[in-house]
Amino acid sequence: MKINGSRILVVNKDKGCGKMLNDIQEVLITQEQLQAKVQELGKRISQDYSGKELLMVCILKGAVVFYADLVRQISIPVFMDFMAVSSYGDATRSSGAVMIIKDLDQTIAGKHVLIVEDIVDTGLTLKYLVENLKARNPLSIKICTLLDKPERRVTDVKVDYNGFTIPDAFVVGYGLDYAEAYRHLPYVCVLKPEIYE
Ligand code: 5GP
C-alpha cells in the first residue's frame, strides 16, 4: 500500500504490543513519520495563529493520541477542550447521523477554534460538527486531521491541515480503533482481513 508515494511494509515487532501484533497486515505510517508530521503541523499552526489565542478541540476518542502530541508542538497560547461524538453505522462505515456524547465545557463565541480529528472519511461527521460549532459564533473555525481518505468523500469538507492522505482502507492505531481495540499502537496500520470477518 502506498502512502504519499512510498511503500511501507515494516511491522515493528519490538514495541511490545502483545498478541495484537499478529492482527496487523501492514504498517502504513511509522512512529517516525507520525512524529515528523506532528512537528510540521504544530509549526504551521503556531505560525498561522501567531498573535491569536487558539482553542484546540479534540474529537474523542480517535484523535486523542494525535491531539496530545500536537498540542505539545504548539508554541503560542493554546486552550484545550474535548468533544465526543458517535456516528451511527456499522463497525467500519459511518452513516452520517451524529450524536454528541460529550459537549465542550466552554463557550466558543469570539474564539478561534481548531477542530482536531483522527480521520476524514465520508466527511459527514465533520460536516455536522462544523455546522454545529459555527452556530455558536466562533471567530473562526478550521479543521486539522491526521488522516484523509478523499476517495470516500460524499460531502464537501474543507480540511485546513492534513497529516497524510491515505487510500480507502480501514486503519487502526495511534488513537484509531476497531471495536475499541488497537488505539494504543504507536503507528497507523491495516489489520488482516480475517479480523473483520
Ligand atoms: P466520516 O464521518 O468522515 O465518514 O467518518 C469519520 C469517523 O469515522 C472518524 O472520526 C473515525 O472515527 C471513523 N473512521 C473512518 N474511517 C476510519 C478508519 O479507517 N479507521 C478507523 N478506526 N475509524 C475510521
Side-chain angles (χ1 to χ4, degrees), residues 87 93-98 115 117 119-131 143 145 147-159:
S87 46
R93 303 286 184 210
S94 94
S95 71
V98 177
I115 300 175
E117 237 313 12
I119 185 165
V120 190
D121 187 18
T122 62
L124 292 166
T125 305
L126 271 173
K127 187 183 166 63
Y128 170 86
L129 271 174
V130 167
E131 276 169 16
I143 292 170
T145 184
L147 306 171
D148 188 6
K149 271 200 275 194
E151 281 171 46
R152 299 229 330 129
R153 198 76 92 257
V154 301
T155 183
D156 249 7
V157 170
K158 183 175 176 281
V159 174

Side-chain angles (χ1 to χ4, degrees), residues 4-128:
N4 294 349
S6 58
R7 193 171 165 84
I8 305 155
L9 285 166
V10 185
V11 175
N12 188 342
K13 295 203 181 256
D14 296 324
K15 291 298 167 191
C17 293
K19 72 178 180 57
M20 284 185 185
L21 272 181
N22 295 327
D23 301 346
I24 296 169
Q25 175 170 294
E26 180 180 15
V27 172
L28 271 189
I29 308 171
T30 64
Q31 269 182 278
E32 292 72 23
Q33 288 172 306
L34 288 165
Q35 205 178 7
K37 185 59 75 178
V38 169
Q39 271 179 19
E40 179 195 316
L41 286 171
K43 207 170 163 186
R44 268 181 61 204
I45 292 166
S46 303
Q47 282 166 358
D48 292 353
Y49 286 91
S50 170
K52 296 173 180 156
E53 257 181 23
L54 178 60
L55 174 67
M56 290 176 67
V57 173
C58 174
I59 308 303
L60 297 170
K61 301 174 198 167
V64 71
V65 180
F66 173 46
Y67 180 87
D69 283 347
L70 184 61
V71 289
R72 286 177 286 175
Q73 296 299 327
I74 305 287
S75 55
I76 56 162
V78 152
F79 295 86
M80 296 165 64
D81 210 339
F82 301 84
M83 264 182 114
V85 297
S86 163
S87 46
Y88 298 98
D90 63 30
T92 60
R93 303 286 184 210
S94 94
S95 71
V98 177
M99 181 171 64
I100 295 179
I101 295 167
K102 185 221 167 289
D103 208 338
L104 297 172
D105 290 336
Q106 53 196 285
T107 58
I108 59 169
K111 294 179 185 168
H112 293 286
V113 174
L114 181 63
I115 300 175
V116 181
E117 237 313 12
D118 53 356
I119 185 165
V120 190
D121 187 18
T122 62
L124 292 166
T125 305
L126 271 173
K127 187 183 166 63
Y128 170 86

